[in-house]
Amino acid sequence: MSDGTFTADPQQIYEYVRAHGPAGPVELAPGVDATLVVEHEMALRVLQNPTLFARDSRRWKALNEGRVPLDSPILPMMVYRPNCLFTDGAVHLRLRQAITASFDRLNTTRLRRDVEPIADFLIDQFSERGRADLINEYAKMLPLLLFNKLFGCPADIGDTLTASLSALFDGIDVQRANEELTASLMKLVSVKRRRPGDDMTSWLVQHPAGLTDEELKDELVVLMGAGFEPQRNLIGHALQLLLSEEGSGGSGMQIEEAVDHVLWNNPPLANYATHFPVQDVDLGGVIVEANSPVVISFAGANSDPALREARENRNKGAHLAWGAGPHACPAKDPALVITITAIERLLNALPDLALTVADKDLQWRPGPFQHALATLPVRFSPTPATRMVSARQTAAPLPAAEQPSTPAAGAEPAQQGASTPKRGFWSTLVDLFRV
C-alpha cells in the first residue's frame, strides 16, 4: 500500500489480500507492517470481540522494539492517546459515555442551523468567480469551521485549531501541527472550565465521568480529528458522484442515495480501526502474532463478494462504513445531517454546478487510510456573494462571553503599527455575526 498502488486502484489491493484469505499482510507505510482484514464476516469477528482484539496501541510490539520509524507520517493516526479510540473495557466505556451523552444533546434542527451559515460563508468566498475546488474550498473547510462552532471555540483558538488540523491531515510539518493542536485544545479546556457554555466541550467538562484535562484534550482530538477527515470525504465523494455522469446523467440520483452509495463503495475511511490481538490468532488461515496491528478494511469488507446481494439492494444495515461493535462510530446521525445539509445548501445556491474534469482524471490523495479526492474542480454561473449579508441581518446577538472585548478604562492604547495575529477563516466568520 505504501508504493502508491492503493491510491491508484484500491480494489487491486483488496483482491491481492483476498488471495491470502479473509485477511493478509500489507505495508501501510515504509517500515509499518500490518494485517488487513477484507472479508466482511472476519471484520465483524474482530470488531465485535474486544476481549481478543484490543485497541490499546501501547501493545504494539514492533513499535516498542524500535522497528517502526518514529518519523512515519501515519504514526499520529496509530499511536496511543488516552481517549475512547485507543482504550478498552471499563476505561473505554467511561470515556465513550461522555461522548455519546454529548452527541445526544445535539439535534437535527441545531445542526442544520449551525451548518447553513457556514456553508453560505464558504460559498460566498468563490461564488463570484464561477469556478471552485469543492474539496479544498468547501468539503474541507466546512467541518473545520463547524467543529469550532460545536465545541465553542473562541476566535483565536478556532483559527489555530483549523490550521493545525488541516496541516496534520495534509502531512505538512506534522510535529509542529500536533504541538499547536495540543496547546490550543488545552487552552480551550481551560476556558470552558472557567466559563462553560452551550457547547460540546462544556458538556464534556460537566459530564459525571469527571474527565481530567488530559482526557478532555484527547477526547477532543478524537472528536475533531476523527470527525474532520471522514466528514470531508463523505461530503466530497457524494458531491463527486452527484456531479458525475453516473449521478447527473439522467438518473436523477437524490442526495441521500448518493451518500448511501458512497458509504457502500468508497467509505470516508477506507481502512482503519487498528486492533492488537492479545495472543497469536488465526484469521482464516493467516496467523497473526500477538500485539501486531490488525487493520479493518471497511471498503474491502463492503466489496466482499459475499455481500453482492446486500450491496445491490443498498441494505444499510450491512455495510461497515460506520464500524461495528463497542467502537462503532457514535456520530453516525450527526454526520448524515451535516453532509446532507451541506450538499443541499451548495446545490441550491449553485444549481448549474458541473465538473471541469472527467471522472477518470480526478486526483486522489495518497495514504493508506482513505481513498480521498485531492480536488474537485467545478464551474458554474457566477452569482453575487450576498448570502452572509442576509444571514447577518437575522442573526441573534452573541452571548456576552463571545462579544468583542473592549479596553478597560485607563488602559494603554495599542501601539501604532503593532503586529497583530493573522486572522483565519474562523475569526472572519465569527466577526460576520457580531451584532
Side-chain angles (χ1 to χ4, degrees), residues 321-336:
W322 305 112
H327 286 271
C329 177
K332 170 187 172 182
D333 292 337
L336 290 173

Side-chain angles (χ1 to χ4, degrees), residues 149-162:
K149 173 68 174 176
L150 295 179
F151 291 99
C153 291
D156 59 334
I157 297 177
D159 283 343
T160 304
L161 284 174
T162 302

Side-chain angles (χ1 to χ4, degrees), residues 93-407:
L93 180 61
R94 168 176 163 269
L95 296 174
R96 184 179 172 93
Q97 284 176 338
I99 285 179
T100 55
S102 297
F103 277 124
D104 287 344
R105 296 179 68 168
L106 293 176
N107 59 63
T108 299
T109 301
R110 173 175 179 156
L111 276 176
R112 291 186 67 92
R113 188 187 67 216
D114 288 341
V115 171
E116 288 173 354
I118 293 171
D120 289 344
F121 168 75
L122 292 172
I123 295 167
D124 272 355
Q125 307 307 303
F126 54 73
S127 65
E128 294 182 341
R129 295 203 312 257
R131 56 182 174 79
D133 171 6
L134 293 184
I135 295 299
N136 293 295
E137 295 184 88
Y138 193 70
K140 173 183 175 179
M141 294 307 303
L142 188 143
L144 284 173
L145 297 176
L146 177 63
F147 291 157
N148 283 343
K149 173 68 174 176
L150 295 179
F151 291 99
C153 291
D156 59 334
I157 297 177
D159 283 343
T160 304
L161 284 174
T162 302
S164 57
L165 273 172
S166 180
L168 271 177
F169 280 99
D170 290 341
I172 301 172
D173 200 354
V174 174
Q175 183 174 351
R176 179 188 60 80
N178 192 52
E179 291 172 354
E180 290 182 353
L181 175 66
T182 298
S184 59
L185 288 176
M186 291 300 284
K187 184 177 179 182
L188 177 61
V189 168
S190 176
V191 167
K192 294 303 175 180
R193 283 204 187 277
R194 297 194 312 270
R195 193 171 62 240
D198 186 25
D199 54 72
M200 290 191 69
T201 307
S202 300
W203 300 340
L204 288 170
V205 166
Q206 297 166 339
H207 192 270
L211 304 180
T212 66
D213 284 3
E214 190 72 14
E215 288 174 332
L216 283 163
K217 180 259 295 180
D218 282 298
E219 291 282 70
L220 291 172
V221 167
V222 74
L223 285 169
M224 291 185 173
F228 162 54
E229 179 73 7
Q231 193 73 69
R232 162 168 68 172
N233 294 341
L234 187 55
I235 295 171
H237 295 165
L239 281 170
Q240 183 265 328
L241 179 59
L242 286 164
L243 298 176
S244 69
E245 292 183 3
E246 181 178 357
S248 61
S251 66
M253 181 178 286
Q254 300 298 308
I255 295 174
E256 290 83 354
E257 290 180 280
V259 171
D260 193 48
H261 186 283
V262 168
L263 292 170
W264 264 107
N265 297 287
N266 190 16
L269 280 181
N271 312 298
Y272 199 45
T274 309
H275 293 72
F276 298 86
V278 300
Q279 63 190 45
D280 291 357
V281 63
D282 182 350
L283 298 182
V286 177
I287 305 301
V288 180
E289 288 188 12
N291 300 319
S292 60
V294 173
V295 174
I296 304 300
S297 177
F298 304 117
N302 285 356
S303 63
D304 186 340
L307 289 185
R308 181 173 289 110
E309 182 177 348
R311 190 164 49 251
E312 290 173 352
N313 294 331
R314 303 275 174 83
N315 184 335
K316 295 181 180 180
H319 72 65
L320 291 180
W322 305 112
H327 286 271
C329 177
K332 170 187 172 182
D333 292 337
L336 290 173
V337 171
I338 293 164
T339 300
I340 292 170
T341 304
I343 295 174
E344 285 177 345
R345 206 71 174 178
L346 179 68
L347 297 183
N348 288 337
L350 306 172
D352 61 346
L353 277 170
L355 292 174
T356 59
V357 299
D359 288 350
K360 63 181 179 61
D361 295 324
L362 289 170
Q363 300 297 309
W364 300 85
R365 293 162 52 212
F369 300 122
Q370 78 284 314
H371 185 240
L373 285 163
T375 62
L376 190 62
V378 296
R379 65 176 183 274
F380 49 87
S381 299
T383 63
T386 58
R387 296 162 191 83
M388 289 302 294
V389 174
S390 300
R392 183 176 178 180
Q393 290 171 350
T394 59
L398 287 174
E402 296 186 37
Q403 292 284 0
S405 59
T406 54

